[in-house]
Amino acid sequence: QVQLVESGGGLVQAGGSLRLSCAASGIPFSRSAVAWYRQAPNKDRLLVATLNTSGGPRYADSVRGRFTIYRDNAKHTVDLQMNSLKPEDTAVYYCGFARGGVWDLRGAYWGQGTQVTVSS
């Protein structure tokens, strides 16, 4: 029974910060690559950040320098720190766990999503 639960979303003003957290259970946490995606209304789900089991994180150009993905191994969570938020960051954010140590969308597990709204 795999379960991923995102939390931390909300409504913030432009320039503000949020930290999203994805709690994972039923998954080999330390052996799975992880990712955050986001999806705005009527848009495709787009990659935000990935973190494999080795190597450093990778980011979409639109968020690089503002967002940070990291694992909290003690809590079994994958967090996304979002700073300097912009209205265009408004979306539902989803965390994903790959079946292996390198991120691959195919066969990945997903959380239910958490809404982030950034006002002008």
PDB file of all heavy atoms in Angstrom, residues 77-110:
ATOM      1  N   THR A  77      10.120  12.337   4.377  1.00  0.00           N
ATOM      2  CA  THR A  77       9.440  13.301   3.550  1.00  0.00           C
ATOM      3  C   THR A  77      10.372  13.833   2.472  1.00  0.00           C
ATOM      4  O   THR A  77      11.595  13.805   2.612  1.00  0.00           O
ATOM      5  CB  THR A  77       8.894  14.494   4.351  1.00  0.00           C
ATOM      6  OG1 THR A  77       9.982  15.214   4.947  1.00  0.00           O
ATOM      7  CG2 THR A  77       7.926  14.027   5.428  1.00  0.00           C
ATOM      8  N   VAL A  78       9.770  14.311   1.407  1.00  0.00           N
ATOM      9  CA  VAL A  78      10.460  15.051   0.363  1.00  0.00           C
ATOM     10  C   VAL A  78       9.854  16.438   0.343  1.00  0.00           C
ATOM     11  O   VAL A  78       8.643  16.587   0.134  1.00  0.00           O
ATOM     12  CB  VAL A  78      10.324  14.371  -1.007  1.00  0.00           C
ATOM     13  CG1 VAL A  78      11.020  15.212  -2.073  1.00  0.00           C
ATOM     14  CG2 VAL A  78      10.911  12.973  -0.966  1.00  0.00           C
ATOM     15  N   ASP A  79      10.681  17.434   0.560  1.00  0.00           N
ATOM     16  CA  ASP A  79      10.194  18.792   0.703  1.00  0.00           C
ATOM     17  C   ASP A  79      10.588  19.644  -0.497  1.00  0.00           C
ATOM     18  O   ASP A  79      11.568  19.373  -1.193  1.00  0.00           O
ATOM     19  CB  ASP A  79      10.743  19.430   1.973  1.00  0.00           C
ATOM     20  CG  ASP A  79      10.246  18.746   3.242  1.00  0.00           C
ATOM     21  OD1 ASP A  79       9.344  17.892   3.154  1.00  0.00           O
ATOM     22  OD2 ASP A  79      10.763  19.082   4.326  1.00  0.00           O
ATOM     23  N   LEU A  80       9.809  20.673  -0.712  1.00  0.00           N
ATOM     24  CA  LEU A  80      10.101  21.659  -1.748  1.00  0.00           C
ATOM     25  C   LEU A  80       9.973  23.031  -1.110  1.00  0.00           C
ATOM     26  O   LEU A  80       8.867  23.478  -0.801  1.00  0.00           O
ATOM     27  CB  LEU A  80       9.145  21.523  -2.927  1.00  0.00           C
ATOM     28  CG  LEU A  80       9.423  22.445  -4.115  1.00  0.00           C
ATOM     29  CD1 LEU A  80      10.694  22.014  -4.842  1.00  0.00           C
ATOM     30  CD2 LEU A  80       8.234  22.463  -5.071  1.00  0.00           C
ATOM     31  N   GLN A  81      11.117  23.665  -0.893  1.00  0.00           N
ATOM     32  CA  GLN A  81      11.131  25.023  -0.378  1.00  0.00           C
ATOM     33  C   GLN A  81      10.990  25.979  -1.550  1.00  0.00           C
ATOM     34  O   GLN A  81      11.789  25.941  -2.485  1.00  0.00           O
ATOM     35  CB  GLN A  81      12.428  25.303   0.379  1.00  0.00           C
ATOM     36  CG  GLN A  81      12.552  26.720   0.915  1.00  0.00           C
ATOM     37  CD  GLN A  81      11.540  27.032   1.985  1.00  0.00           C
ATOM     38  OE1 GLN A  81      11.337  26.231   2.887  1.00  0.00           O
ATOM     39  NE2 GLN A  81      10.902  28.183   1.890  1.00  0.00           N
ATOM     40  N   MET A  82       9.996  26.846  -1.498  1.00  0.00           N
ATOM     41  CA  MET A  82       9.701  27.770  -2.583  1.00  0.00           C
ATOM     42  C   MET A  82       9.816  29.190  -2.054  1.00  0.00           C
ATOM     43  O   MET A  82       9.064  29.588  -1.161  1.00  0.00           O
ATOM     44  CB  MET A  82       8.302  27.520  -3.146  1.00  0.00           C
ATOM     45  CG  MET A  82       8.067  26.081  -3.594  1.00  0.00           C
ATOM     46  SD  MET A  82       6.458  25.855  -4.393  1.00  0.00           S
ATOM     47  CE  MET A  82       5.377  26.211  -3.004  1.00  0.00           C
ATOM     48  N   ASN A  83      10.745  29.933  -2.613  1.00  0.00           N
ATOM     49  CA  ASN A  83      10.968  31.319  -2.232  1.00  0.00           C
ATOM     50  C   ASN A  83      10.704  32.231  -3.413  1.00  0.00           C
ATOM     51  O   ASN A  83      10.669  31.801  -4.559  1.00  0.00           O
ATOM     52  CB  ASN A  83      12.403  31.516  -1.735  1.00  0.00           C
ATOM     53  CG  ASN A  83      12.724  30.710  -0.508  1.00  0.00           C
ATOM     54  OD1 ASN A  83      11.873  30.496   0.351  1.00  0.00           O
ATOM     55  ND2 ASN A  83      13.973  30.256  -0.403  1.00  0.00           N
ATOM     56  N   SER A  84      10.546  33.503  -3.117  1.00  0.00           N
ATOM     57  CA  SER A  84      10.326  34.516  -4.156  1.00  0.00           C
ATOM     58  C   SER A  84       9.232  34.094  -5.119  1.00  0.00           C
ATOM     59  O   SER A  84       9.383  34.162  -6.342  1.00  0.00           O
ATOM     60  CB  SER A  84      11.633  34.792  -4.911  1.00  0.00           C
ATOM     61  OG  SER A  84      12.649  35.226  -4.034  1.00  0.00           O
ATOM     62  N   LEU A  85       8.124  33.680  -4.568  1.00  0.00           N
ATOM     63  CA  LEU A  85       7.042  33.140  -5.384  1.00  0.00           C
ATOM     64  C   LEU A  85       6.448  34.199  -6.302  1.00  0.00           C
ATOM     65  O   LEU A  85       6.361  35.381  -5.952  1.00  0.00           O
ATOM     66  CB  LEU A  85       5.960  32.543  -4.496  1.00  0.00           C
ATOM     67  CG  LEU A  85       6.326  31.177  -3.914  1.00  0.00           C
ATOM     68  CD1 LEU A  85       5.441  30.848  -2.715  1.00  0.00           C
ATOM     69  CD2 LEU A  85       6.204  30.098  -4.992  1.00  0.00           C
ATOM     70  N   LYS A  86       6.046  33.739  -7.470  1.00  0.00           N
ATOM     71  CA  LYS A  86       5.459  34.578  -8.501  1.00  0.00           C
ATOM     72  C   LYS A  86       4.068  34.075  -8.835  1.00  0.00           C
ATOM     73  O   LYS A  86       3.776  32.890  -8.654  1.00  0.00           O
ATOM     74  CB  LYS A  86       6.324  34.545  -9.766  1.00  0.00           C
ATOM     75  CG  LYS A  86       7.778  34.918  -9.555  1.00  0.00           C
ATOM     76  CD  LYS A  86       8.574  34.707 -10.831  1.00  0.00           C
ATOM     77  CE  LYS A  86      10.027  35.067 -10.640  1.00  0.00           C
ATOM     78  NZ  LYS A  86      10.818  34.841 -11.880  1.00  0.00           N
ATOM     79  N   PRO A  87       3.204  34.937  -9.358  1.00  0.00           N
ATOM     80  CA  PRO A  87       1.869  34.470  -9.746  1.00  0.00           C
ATOM     81  C   PRO A  87       1.902  33.293 -10.710  1.00  0.00           C
ATOM     82  O   PRO A  87       1.025  32.421 -10.637  1.00  0.00           O
ATOM     83  CB  PRO A  87       1.244  35.708 -10.388  1.00  0.00           C
ATOM     84  CG  PRO A  87       1.894  36.845  -9.689  1.00  0.00           C
ATOM     85  CD  PRO A  87       3.315  36.407  -9.458  1.00  0.00           C
ATOM     86  N   GLU A  88       2.886  33.231 -11.579  1.00  0.00           N
ATOM     87  CA  GLU A  88       2.976  32.131 -12.519  1.00  0.00           C
ATOM     88  C   GLU A  88       3.349  30.801 -11.868  1.00  0.00           C
ATOM     89  O   GLU A  88       3.326  29.758 -12.527  1.00  0.00           O
ATOM     90  CB  GLU A  88       3.959  32.446 -13.658  1.00  0.00           C
ATOM     91  CG  GLU A  88       5.311  32.940 -13.180  1.00  0.00           C
ATOM     92  CD  GLU A  88       5.428  34.451 -13.211  1.00  0.00           C
ATOM     93  OE1 GLU A  88       4.482  35.130 -12.771  1.00  0.00           O
ATOM     94  OE2 GLU A  88       6.467  34.962 -13.690  1.00  0.00           O
ATOM     95  N   ASP A  89       3.694  30.817 -10.582  1.00  0.00           N
ATOM     96  CA  ASP A  89       3.912  29.583  -9.846  1.00  0.00           C
ATOM     97  C   ASP A  89       2.607  28.945  -9.384  1.00  0.00           C
ATOM     98  O   ASP A  89       2.624  27.830  -8.849  1.00  0.00           O
ATOM     99  CB  ASP A  89       4.800  29.827  -8.627  1.00  0.00           C
ATOM    100  CG  ASP A  89       6.197  30.273  -8.995  1.00  0.00           C
ATOM    101  OD1 ASP A  89       6.774  29.722  -9.958  1.00  0.00           O
ATOM    102  OD2 ASP A  89       6.723  31.171  -8.309  1.00  0.00           O
ATOM    103  N   THR A  90       1.499  29.635  -9.552  1.00  0.00           N
ATOM    104  CA  THR A  90       0.209  29.113  -9.127  1.00  0.00           C
ATOM    105  C   THR A  90      -0.104  27.814  -9.864  1.00  0.00           C
ATOM    106  O   THR A  90      -0.109  27.770 -11.095  1.00  0.00           O
ATOM    107  CB  THR A  90      -0.891  30.140  -9.377  1.00  0.00           C
ATOM    108  OG1 THR A  90      -0.669  31.283  -8.549  1.00  0.00           O
ATOM    109  CG2 THR A  90      -2.262  29.566  -9.059  1.00  0.00           C
ATOM    110  N   ALA A  91      -0.369  26.762  -9.107  1.00  0.00           N
ATOM    111  CA  ALA A  91      -0.624  25.446  -9.683  1.00  0.00           C
ATOM    112  C   ALA A  91      -0.935  24.479  -8.552  1.00  0.00           C
ATOM    113  O   ALA A  91      -0.757  24.795  -7.369  1.00  0.00           O
ATOM    114  CB  ALA A  91       0.588  24.947 -10.475  1.00  0.00           C
ATOM    115  N   VAL A  92      -1.376  23.289  -8.932  1.00  0.00           N
ATOM    116  CA  VAL A  92      -1.403  22.169  -8.008  1.00  0.00           C
ATOM    117  C   VAL A  92      -0.050  21.478  -8.104  1.00  0.00           C
ATOM    118  O   VAL A  92       0.416  21.148  -9.196  1.00  0.00           O
ATOM    119  CB  VAL A  92      -2.534  21.186  -8.328  1.00  0.00           C
ATOM    120  CG1 VAL A  92      -2.487  19.985  -7.387  1.00  0.00           C
ATOM    121  CG2 VAL A  92      -3.886  21.882  -8.226  1.00  0.00           C
ATOM    122  N   TYR A  93       0.566  21.266  -6.964  1.00  0.00           N
ATOM    123  CA  TYR A  93       1.891  20.666  -6.910  1.00  0.00           C
ATOM    124  C   TYR A  93       1.777  19.218  -6.462  1.00  0.00           C
ATOM    125  O   TYR A  93       1.091  18.905  -5.488  1.00  0.00           O
ATOM    126  CB  TYR A  93       2.792  21.443  -5.949  1.00  0.00           C
ATOM    127  CG  TYR A  93       3.294  22.736  -6.540  1.00  0.00           C
ATOM    128  CD1 TYR A  93       2.428  23.804  -6.748  1.00  0.00           C
ATOM    129  CD2 TYR A  93       4.633  22.890  -6.910  1.00  0.00           C
ATOM    130  CE1 TYR A  93       2.881  24.985  -7.311  1.00  0.00           C
ATOM    131  CE2 TYR A  93       5.094  24.065  -7.462  1.00  0.00           C
ATOM    132  CZ  TYR A  93       4.212  25.115  -7.663  1.00  0.00           C
ATOM    133  OH  TYR A  93       4.668  26.289  -8.217  1.00  0.00           O
ATOM    134  N   TYR A  94       2.475  18.341  -7.164  1.00  0.00           N
ATOM    135  CA  TYR A  94       2.440  16.906  -6.915  1.00  0.00           C
ATOM    136  C   TYR A  94       3.841  16.384  -6.644  1.00  0.00           C
ATOM    137  O   TYR A  94       4.781  16.737  -7.358  1.00  0.00           O
ATOM    138  CB  TYR A  94       1.894  16.155  -8.125  1.00  0.00           C
ATOM    139  CG  TYR A  94       0.491  16.523  -8.515  1.00  0.00           C
ATOM    140  CD1 TYR A  94       0.243  17.567  -9.403  1.00  0.00           C
ATOM    141  CD2 TYR A  94      -0.596  15.814  -8.019  1.00  0.00           C
ATOM    142  CE1 TYR A  94      -1.042  17.905  -9.774  1.00  0.00           C
ATOM    143  CE2 TYR A  94      -1.886  16.142  -8.387  1.00  0.00           C
ATOM    144  CZ  TYR A  94      -2.103  17.187  -9.264  1.00  0.00           C
ATOM    145  OH  TYR A  94      -3.384  17.520  -9.635  1.00  0.00           O
ATOM    146  N   CYS A  95       3.960  15.525  -5.663  1.00  0.00           N
ATOM    147  CA  CYS A  95       5.214  14.819  -5.472  1.00  0.00           C
ATOM    148  C   CYS A  95       5.120  13.441  -6.103  1.00  0.00           C
ATOM    149  O   CYS A  95       4.041  12.834  -6.161  1.00  0.00           O
ATOM    150  CB  CYS A  95       5.596  14.701  -3.992  1.00  0.00           C
ATOM    151  SG  CYS A  95       4.569  13.592  -2.999  1.00  0.00           S
ATOM    152  N   GLY A  96       6.249  12.957  -6.584  1.00  0.00           N
ATOM    153  CA  GLY A  96       6.319  11.647  -7.199  1.00  0.00           C
ATOM    154  C   GLY A  96       7.515  10.862  -6.708  1.00  0.00           C
ATOM    155  O   GLY A  96       8.566  11.431  -6.411  1.00  0.00           O
ATOM    156  N   PHE A  97       7.338   9.557  -6.622  1.00  0.00           N
ATOM    157  CA  PHE A  97       8.412   8.627  -6.307  1.00  0.00           C
ATOM    158  C   PHE A  97       8.560   7.653  -7.449  1.00  0.00           C
ATOM    159  O   PHE A  97       7.589   7.005  -7.855  1.00  0.00           O
ATOM    160  CB  PHE A  97       8.122   7.861  -5.014  1.00  0.00           C
ATOM    161  CG  PHE A  97       8.512   8.591  -3.768  1.00  0.00           C
ATOM    162  CD1 PHE A  97       7.822   9.716  -3.363  1.00  0.00           C
ATOM    163  CD2 PHE A  97       9.575   8.148  -2.997  1.00  0.00           C
ATOM    164  CE1 PHE A  97       8.179  10.396  -2.220  1.00  0.00           C
ATOM    165  CE2 PHE A  97       9.941   8.819  -1.839  1.00  0.00           C
ATOM    166  CZ  PHE A  97       9.246   9.945  -1.452  1.00  0.00           C
ATOM    167  N   ALA A  98       9.762   7.541  -7.975  1.00  0.00           N
ATOM    168  CA  ALA A  98      10.043   6.595  -9.030  1.00  0.00           C
ATOM    169  C   ALA A  98      10.188   5.193  -8.472  1.00  0.00           C
ATOM    170  O   ALA A  98      10.360   4.994  -7.265  1.00  0.00           O
ATOM    171  CB  ALA A  98      11.315   6.994  -9.774  1.00  0.00           C
ATOM    172  N   ARG A  99      10.146   4.224  -9.359  1.00  0.00           N
ATOM    173  CA  ARG A  99      10.351   2.840  -8.954  1.00  0.00           C
ATOM    174  C   ARG A  99      11.823   2.491  -8.793  1.00  0.00           C
ATOM    175  O   ARG A  99      12.147   1.434  -8.232  1.00  0.00           O
ATOM    176  CB  ARG A  99       9.691   1.902  -9.968  1.00  0.00           C
ATOM    177  CG  ARG A  99       8.172   1.979  -9.947  1.00  0.00           C
ATOM    178  CD  ARG A  99       7.547   1.014 -10.930  1.00  0.00           C
ATOM    179  NE  ARG A  99       6.095   1.059 -10.857  1.00  0.00           N
ATOM    180  CZ  ARG A  99       5.367   0.307 -10.053  1.00  0.00           C
ATOM    181  NH1 ARG A  99       5.948  -0.572  -9.261  1.00  0.00           N
ATOM    182  NH2 ARG A  99       4.057   0.424 -10.054  1.00  0.00           N
ATOM    183  N   GLY A 100      12.703   3.342  -9.259  1.00  0.00           N
ATOM    184  CA  GLY A 100      14.130   3.126  -9.139  1.00  0.00           C
ATOM    185  C   GLY A 100      14.843   4.368  -8.656  1.00  0.00           C
ATOM    186  O   GLY A 100      14.230   5.347  -8.237  1.00  0.00           O
ATOM    187  N   GLY A 101      16.154   4.321  -8.729  1.00  0.00           N
ATOM    188  CA  GLY A 101      16.970   5.395  -8.193  1.00  0.00           C
ATOM    189  C   GLY A 101      17.205   6.561  -9.127  1.00  0.00           C
ATOM    190  O   GLY A 101      17.829   7.545  -8.720  1.00  0.00           O
ATOM    191  N   VAL A 102      16.732   6.463 -10.354  1.00  0.00           N
ATOM    192  CA  VAL A 102      16.823   7.540 -11.323  1.00  0.00           C
ATOM    193  C   VAL A 102      15.410   7.940 -11.722  1.00  0.00           C
ATOM    194  O   VAL A 102      14.578   7.076 -12.017  1.00  0.00           O
ATOM    195  CB  VAL A 102      17.634   7.111 -12.566  1.00  0.00           C
ATOM    196  CG1 VAL A 102      17.639   8.221 -13.616  1.00  0.00           C
ATOM    197  CG2 VAL A 102      19.056   6.741 -12.174  1.00  0.00           C
ATOM    198  N   TRP A 103      15.138   9.239 -11.751  1.00  0.00           N
ATOM    199  CA  TRP A 103      13.780   9.663 -12.012  1.00  0.00           C
ATOM    200  C   TRP A 103      13.281   9.188 -13.372  1.00  0.00           C
ATOM    201  O   TRP A 103      13.950   9.368 -14.396  1.00  0.00           O
ATOM    202  CB  TRP A 103      13.619  11.189 -11.936  1.00  0.00           C
ATOM    203  CG  TRP A 103      12.231  11.575 -12.308  1.00  0.00           C
ATOM    204  CD1 TRP A 103      11.812  12.183 -13.439  1.00  0.00           C
ATOM    205  CD2 TRP A 103      11.047  11.280 -11.560  1.00  0.00           C
ATOM    206  NE1 TRP A 103      10.444  12.312 -13.443  1.00  0.00           N
ATOM    207  CE2 TRP A 103       9.952  11.767 -12.307  1.00  0.00           C
ATOM    208  CE3 TRP A 103      10.807  10.663 -10.330  1.00  0.00           C
ATOM    209  CZ2 TRP A 103       8.644  11.643 -11.859  1.00  0.00           C
ATOM    210  CZ3 TRP A 103       9.501  10.539  -9.884  1.00  0.00           C
ATOM    211  CH2 TRP A 103       8.437  11.031 -10.645  1.00  0.00           C
ATOM    212  N   ASP A 104      12.124   8.601 -13.370  1.00  0.00           N
ATOM    213  CA  ASP A 104      11.452   8.145 -14.576  1.00  0.00           C
ATOM    214  C   ASP A 104       9.968   8.280 -14.316  1.00  0.00           C
ATOM    215  O   ASP A 104       9.452   7.706 -13.353  1.00  0.00           O
ATOM    216  CB  ASP A 104      11.830   6.696 -14.893  1.00  0.00           C
ATOM    217  CG  ASP A 104      11.302   6.225 -16.243  1.00  0.00           C
ATOM    218  OD1 ASP A 104      10.438   6.888 -16.835  1.00  0.00           O
ATOM    219  OD2 ASP A 104      11.767   5.166 -16.708  1.00  0.00           O
ATOM    220  N   LEU A 105       9.295   9.018 -15.159  1.00  0.00           N
ATOM    221  CA  LEU A 105       7.869   9.250 -14.989  1.00  0.00           C
ATOM    222  C   LEU A 105       7.063   7.962 -15.093  1.00  0.00           C
ATOM    223  O   LEU A 105       6.020   7.824 -14.454  1.00  0.00           O
ATOM    224  CB  LEU A 105       7.401  10.255 -16.039  1.00  0.00           C
ATOM    225  CG  LEU A 105       5.969  10.747 -15.971  1.00  0.00           C
ATOM    226  CD1 LEU A 105       5.732  11.533 -14.686  1.00  0.00           C
ATOM    227  CD2 LEU A 105       5.662  11.612 -17.185  1.00  0.00           C
ATOM    228  N   ARG A 106       7.541   7.047 -15.894  1.00  0.00           N
ATOM    229  CA  ARG A 106       6.809   5.808 -16.136  1.00  0.00           C
ATOM    230  C   ARG A 106       6.796   4.936 -14.887  1.00  0.00           C
ATOM    231  O   ARG A 106       7.838   4.604 -14.332  1.00  0.00           O
ATOM    232  CB  ARG A 106       7.424   5.062 -17.314  1.00  0.00           C
ATOM    233  CG  ARG A 106       7.277   5.795 -18.642  1.00  0.00           C
ATOM    234  CD  ARG A 106       8.139   5.173 -19.719  1.00  0.00           C
ATOM    235  NE  ARG A 106       9.543   5.343 -19.425  1.00  0.00           N
ATOM    236  CZ  ARG A 106      10.527   4.890 -20.190  1.00  0.00           C
ATOM    237  NH1 ARG A 106      10.253   4.234 -21.307  1.00  0.00           N
ATOM    238  NH2 ARG A 106      11.789   5.100 -19.843  1.00  0.00           N
ATOM    239  N   GLY A 107       5.610   4.584 -14.455  1.00  0.00           N
ATOM    240  CA  GLY A 107       5.452   3.749 -13.282  1.00  0.00           C
ATOM    241  C   GLY A 107       5.593   4.462 -11.958  1.00  0.00           C
ATOM    242  O   GLY A 107       5.568   3.812 -10.903  1.00  0.00           O
ATOM    243  N   ALA A 108       5.720   5.774 -11.974  1.00  0.00           N
ATOM    244  CA  ALA A 108       5.910   6.528 -10.742  1.00  0.00           C
ATOM    245  C   ALA A 108       4.640   6.562  -9.903  1.00  0.00           C
ATOM    246  O   ALA A 108       3.523   6.470 -10.420  1.00  0.00           O
ATOM    247  CB  ALA A 108       6.367   7.944 -11.059  1.00  0.00           C
ATOM    248  N   TYR A 109       4.831   6.706  -8.612  1.00  0.00           N
ATOM    249  CA  TYR A 109       3.731   6.917  -7.690  1.00  0.00           C
ATOM    250  C   TYR A 109       3.538   8.406  -7.452  1.00  0.00           C
ATOM    251  O   TYR A 109       4.513   9.172  -7.423  1.00  0.00           O
ATOM    252  CB  TYR A 109       4.012   6.225  -6.354  1.00  0.00           C
ATOM    253  CG  TYR A 109       4.161   4.733  -6.450  1.00  0.00           C
ATOM    254  CD1 TYR A 109       5.419   4.147  -6.432  1.00  0.00           C
ATOM    255  CD2 TYR A 109       3.052   3.909  -6.554  1.00  0.00           C
ATOM    256  CE1 TYR A 109       5.563   2.776  -6.517  1.00  0.00           C
ATOM    257  CE2 TYR A 109       3.183   2.538  -6.643  1.00  0.00           C
ATOM    258  CZ  TYR A 109       4.443   1.976  -6.624  1.00  0.00           C
ATOM    259  OH  TYR A 109       4.589   0.613  -6.708  1.00  0.00           O
ATOM    260  N   TRP A 110       2.287   8.806  -7.243  1.00  0.00           N
ATOM    261  CA  TRP A 110       1.959  10.224  -7.099  1.00  0.00           C
ATOM    262  C   TRP A 110       1.102  10.484  -5.885  1.00  0.00           C
ATOM    263  O   TRP A 110       0.257   9.665  -5.507  1.00  0.00           O
ATOM    264  CB  TRP A 110       1.209  10.733  -8.333  1.00  0.00           C
ATOM    265  CG  TRP A 110       2.017  10.640  -9.582  1.00  0.00           C
ATOM    266  CD1 TRP A 110       1.973   9.652 -10.516  1.00  0.00           C
ATOM    267  CD2 TRP A 110       3.005  11.576 -10.013  1.00  0.00           C
ATOM    268  NE1 TRP A 110       2.870   9.911 -11.520  1.00  0.00           N
ATOM    269  CE2 TRP A 110       3.517  11.081 -11.243  1.00  0.00           C
ATOM    270  CE3 TRP A 110       3.500  12.769  -9.500  1.00  0.00           C
ATOM    271  CZ2 TRP A 110       4.511  11.760 -11.944  1.00  0.00           C
ATOM    272  CZ3 TRP A 110       4.487  13.443 -10.196  1.00  0.00           C
ATOM    273  CH2 TRP A 110       4.978  12.932 -11.411  1.00  0.00           C
TER     274      TRP A 110
END
